[in-house]
Amino acid sequence: MKEQGVSFTMKDKKLRNSVLTIILLLCLATISTGCGKRVWPEPDVSEEKFALEIKEAKLINKCLRLKIYIKGNYANLSRITLELEPIGPQGECPACPFQVQQSVVFELDTPQIMRKGADLYIKYCQIQKNTDYRVRVKGRNVYPALPDVISNVVTVDE
C-alpha cells in the first residue's frame, strides 16, 4: 500500500498566507476601534433652556405687576428673581448699565406668582411711593449646571 501524504503546492501556501493576513487585519481593526479617547456623553442642553421676556410692566394700586413670557422649555423654570433699580430724581439713563438695588426671590408656588402655560405673572407690592423703576427678572433652571437666564430691562412709571 502506498502512503498518502499531504503536500502543499506553492499556490496553496499563498492562499493560506492571504487568509491568515486577512484574519490578522480584521482582528487588529476590531481591537483598535476600542482604543482612543473616551468622553462622557453630554445632554443636548438646547432642549432644556428657556428665555425670559417682560411683555408688560405696570404699577397698579402701589403694586408692580409684570407679565413675563417664557420662551423654550418653560417647565424647567424652578424659581424667579425680581430685580429692581429705582430711578432717581435726575431721571432715567437708558444707556447706563442696569444696577440691581433690590432683589426678591420667588418660588413658583408663592401667592405673588401666577403661571399660565408659558406666561408668568408677578405681583409685588413692597415698592417705594412716587418712584419709577427699571426692572428685570432672572430665572433659575431646574438643572443647576445651566446658568441663570436674565430678561430684558423695562422701565415702569408711576
Side-chain angles (χ1 to χ4, degrees), residues 25-36:
L25 287 174
L26 287 173
C27 288
L28 284 174
T30 303
I31 293 171
S32 66
T33 57
C35 299

Side-chain angles (χ1 to χ4, degrees), residues 71-86:
K71 181 181 179 185
N73 196 342
Y74 60 85
N76 284 351
L77 178 67
S78 68
R79 75 171 137 178
I80 195 112
T81 302
L82 173 64
E83 297 181 332
L84 302 165
E85 176 188 17

